[in-house]
Amino acid sequence: MFNQAIAQLQAWFPAAEVHAHCDGPCGVYDPSSARIAAEAVLSMTKKLVDLELPAGGDKAAAVAYHNTFARYTAIKEEQAQITKNELLILWTDYFKPVHLEQFPDLHDTFWKAAKLCSATKVEVSVQHATELMEAVHKIHNMFWATKNRDVSWYTAS
């Protein structure tokens, strides 16, 4: 009886048909999280390169060095994976075929950015970390252009 009442209400007050261009409501996507993670990759990479080797024979200094190196490396790799995840979500969930008309290099840009995320995990390269930041910057510009908005690019450092 309850189901019949609900069905009758639905017949009297049908829900409007809706359409969405993405998997969630507009506004849930934003490339800033990828930028923040990529900045951490660059920062940790620079810290790893600048880390001074301790003098030979100083066991405590060697332990501290290896501990710091391991921590910086773990953060760098974690943030590179976060960057990749955030970029892949934008690529696969937000961007649609219509955006390819506006940005014919969209797929290549994202593919190369994802590859840079992998490269920054397996090596300590300031060059690749910087290239990753540049790729995220390009994606930032593409994303906001699809919304006809001019959102400034800024970094924390």
Side-chain angles (χ1 to χ4, degrees):
M1 181 170 188
F2 180 72
N3 289 340
Q4 289 174 339
I6 295 295
Q8 188 60 48
L9 283 173
Q10 287 175 332
W12 287 340
F13 305 103
E17 184 176 338
V18 297
H19 300 278
H21 71 275
C22 55
D23 294 342
C26 288
V28 299
Y29 298 108
D30 190 323
S32 63
S33 52
R35 176 194 47 82
I36 293 166
E39 274 191 275
V41 171
L42 180 58
S43 175
M44 291 299 108
T45 301
K46 288 178 178 178
K47 288 180 182 295
L48 283 163
V49 169
D50 292 343
L51 199 55
E52 292 290 329
L53 284 168
D58 186 345
K59 186 175 180 180
V63 169
Y65 170 85
H66 289 294
N67 182 62
T68 301
F69 194 92
R71 287 178 45 243
Y72 289 171
T73 301
I75 292 167
K76 174 184 67 76
E77 292 186 12
E78 176 185 50
Q79 294 301 309
Q81 187 61 47
I82 290 170
T83 305
K84 183 185 253 184
N85 293 343
E86 293 296 326
L87 292 177
L88 293 178
I89 288 168
L90 286 174
W91 188 16
T92 60
D93 294 357
Y94 174 75
F95 284 97
K96 301 296 179 204
V98 67
H99 297 129
L100 283 171
E101 296 169 13
Q102 190 175 4
F103 300 104
D105 65 336
L106 187 139
H107 290 317
D108 192 56
T109 299
F110 273 94
W111 183 77
K112 287 178 179 174
K115 289 296 190 184
L116 282 167
C117 291
S118 296
T120 61
K121 286 193 301 186
V122 300
E123 58 191 27
V124 180
S125 169
V126 174
Q127 177 184 342
H128 284 147
T130 301
E131 289 173 4
L132 176 59
M133 282 296 295
E134 292 166 356
V136 172
H137 186 187
K138 183 176 181 179
I139 290 166
H140 163 94
N141 290 336
M142 294 166 83
F143 175 84
W144 290 112
T146 67
K147 294 181 171 280
N148 296 316
R149 291 185 53 198
D150 183 22
V151 174
S152 297
W153 169 265
Y154 62 92
T155 59
S157 49

